[in-house]
Amino acid sequence: MNGQKVIRPYMGISMADINDEIIQKLNLPASIQGVLIMQVMSGSPAAVGGIKAGDIIQKVNGKEVNAGTDIQSIVEHSKVGQKLEIQIWRSGKTGTVSVTLQAKP
């Protein structure tokens, strides 16, 4: 409002909510929960943290996520420089990666 730039946290992913069509197309387990990562921007915090296209984010900082809006809300309420612990499902295995948020370019 006073001419200063608003700095927003950024993770650098595009995502899609998991639905029956995605489960069938990707041959995922019917019980899978989370958000599908469609694209990871090169050099982004997500890329540096090890997130890859095709991963499914299931939890962020211990909180289950079932829609892209869940992840957006967590990122929006975080601070630049904050580290998020992200549980992902990749090729049938669950793992955890750390992503340090950066300022949105």
Side-chain angles (χ1 to χ4, degrees):
M1 289 190 151
N2 60 5
Q4 293 182 346
K5 184 177 178 182
V6 176
I7 299 173
R8 292 191 168 85
Y10 166 77
M11 196 157 75
I13 57 173
S14 62
M15 54 197 157
D17 295 347
I18 294 177
N19 57 31
D20 291 338
E21 182 181 348
I22 288 175
I23 288 172
Q24 288 178 345
K25 272 187 177 176
L26 300 179
N27 198 26
L28 298 171
S31 62
I32 195 79
Q33 297 287 320
V35 177
L36 176 66
I37 301 305
M38 303 295 290
Q39 181 180 11
V40 179
M41 295 6 162
S42 178
S44 69
V48 172
I51 294 177
K52 298 179 180 180
D55 286 350
I56 296 173
I57 294 180
Q58 297 183 307
K59 293 182 182 181
V60 178
N61 287 346
K63 182 180 178 190
E64 288 187 10
V65 294
N66 294 304
T69 54
D70 296 339
I71 295 173
Q72 286 176 322
S73 179
I74 291 168
V75 171
E76 287 172 2
H77 289 94
S78 299
K79 295 182 184 330
V80 171
Q82 184 174 338
K83 189 177 284 194
L84 302 179
E85 294 296 318
I86 299 176
Q87 179 182 308
I88 59 169
W89 185 91
R90 180 186 294 160
S91 303
K93 297 178 184 167
T94 303
T96 303
V97 297
S98 292
V99 173
T100 302
L101 299 175
Q102 295 175 357
K104 188 172 184 176

